[in-house]
């Protein structure tokens, strides 16, 4: 084999090798994140006699999920809300929301949500499908989600994912029918969820 033929053959082999590397990139592994309990808000609003919306939130929320950032795929996820942590800014009203007319926290101390599917609608947006359990009743829940940022946190440097989600549910679907007549208390509950989650290094 002449020097020229060896040179051409080597060039061809090198070209195919580089092309093969470009066609088969190394994919990132799905990573588990844990919700930062100091930076999570689960808020809600509900109509009051059609005059205005009452706004409240839950102050005790935990959860985690497995997410593949490169593929924009949510593999699993779950959250637990302590029902008794509801806060509306008024002690007497909070007590009423905790009793049997609404959340019945003595018999149902937790609200649970579990992801069943994720539909990506853009590079940083998607729809989270899941099941939420309130008062022992489980119903489907859809949440529109936006991933705001993924990267080292400017405070402390921990790898962090921040997201915003929103959705709604009908409280009557869970058997919570107190004051529905004349919409003294509305049926539809709008949800607003903001959170930061930290990469689980363990």
């Amino acid at each position: 084999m002449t020097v020229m033929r060896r040179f051409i053959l080597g060039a061809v082999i090198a070209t195919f090798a580089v092309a093969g590397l470009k066609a088969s990139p190394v994919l990132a592994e799905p990573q588990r994140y844990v919700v930062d309990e100091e930076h999570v808000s689960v808020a809600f609003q509900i109509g009051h006699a059609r005059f205005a919306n009452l706004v409240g939130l839950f102050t005790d929320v935990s959860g985690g999920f497995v997410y593949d950032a490169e593929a924009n795929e949510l593999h699993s996820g779950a959250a637990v809300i302590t029902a008794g942590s509801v806060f509306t800014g008024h002690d007497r009203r909070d007590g009423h929301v905790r009793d049997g007319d609404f959340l019945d926290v003595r018999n149902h101390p937790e609200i649970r949500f579990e992801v069943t599917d994720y539909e990506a609608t853009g590079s940083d947006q998607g729809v989270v499908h899941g099941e939420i359990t309130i008062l022992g009743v489980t119903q489907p829940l859809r949440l529109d989600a936006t991933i705001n940022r993924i990267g080292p946190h400017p405070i402390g440097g921990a790898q962090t994912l921040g997201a915003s989600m929103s959705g709604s549910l009908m409280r009557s679907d869970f058997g919570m029918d107190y004051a529905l007549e004349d919409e003294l208390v509305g049926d539809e509950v709008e949800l607003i969820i903001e959170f930061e989650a930290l990469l689980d290094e363990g």
Side-chain angles (χ1 to χ4, degrees):
M1 181 181 293
T2 66
V3 173
M4 180 59 70
R5 289 182 63 189
R6 283 198 296 268
F7 175 79
I8 293 173
L9 181 60
V12 170
I13 293 173
T15 299
F16 277 106
V18 171
L21 288 174
K22 289 182 178 179
S24 305
V26 177
L27 298 178
E29 292 291 328
Q31 296 177 305
R32 174 166 173 76
Y33 288 85
V34 177
V35 171
D36 182 354
E37 297 182 20
E38 294 185 5
H39 297 97
V40 56
S41 299
V42 175
F44 62 88
Q45 65 176 17
I46 186 169
H48 184 241
R50 301 193 301 276
F51 286 111
N53 288 324
L54 171 70
V55 178
L57 55 83
F58 293 92
T59 62
D60 188 352
V61 183
S62 61
F65 54 91
V66 177
Y67 179 67
D68 185 332
E70 185 167 330
N72 192 15
E73 294 178 350
L74 181 63
H75 290 257
S76 63
V80 177
I81 299 170
T82 300
S85 71
V86 65
F87 174 78
T88 68
H90 190 281
D91 289 344
R92 182 177 175 184
R93 180 171 56 219
D94 289 350
H96 189 195
V97 174
R98 293 183 185 113
D99 75 15
D101 288 336
F102 293 99
L103 293 176
D104 191 13
V105 302
R106 178 175 296 179
N107 295 308
H108 303 281
E110 293 180 341
I111 297 170
R112 292 182 170 269
F113 176 74
E114 185 168 352
V115 173
T116 57
D117 194 16
Y118 178 69
E119 173 190 354
T121 58
S123 60
D124 58 359
Q125 294 181 317
V127 178
V128 176
H129 298 274
E131 294 183 338
I132 189 167
T133 301
I134 304 173
L135 297 175
V137 178
T138 301
Q139 296 283 357
L141 178 64
R142 167 194 168 121
L143 297 170
D144 294 319
T146 299
I147 299 171
N148 301 316
R149 184 179 181 184
I150 303 176
H153 201 285
I155 302 175
Q159 184 73 2
T160 304
L161 182 152
S164 305
M165 298 192 296
S166 63
S168 66
L169 56 82
M170 307 300 284
R171 66 187 181 92
S172 60
D173 288 343
F174 301 88
M176 194 187 304
D177 55 8
Y178 175 82
L180 281 177
E181 188 175 356
D182 296 326
E183 296 183 66
L184 182 59
V185 178
D187 193 6
E188 184 175 14
V189 182
E190 296 183 32
L191 303 173
I192 303 168
I193 303 164
E194 299 282 337
F195 69 87
E196 296 176 18
L198 307 178
L199 180 66
D200 186 358
E201 303 276 5

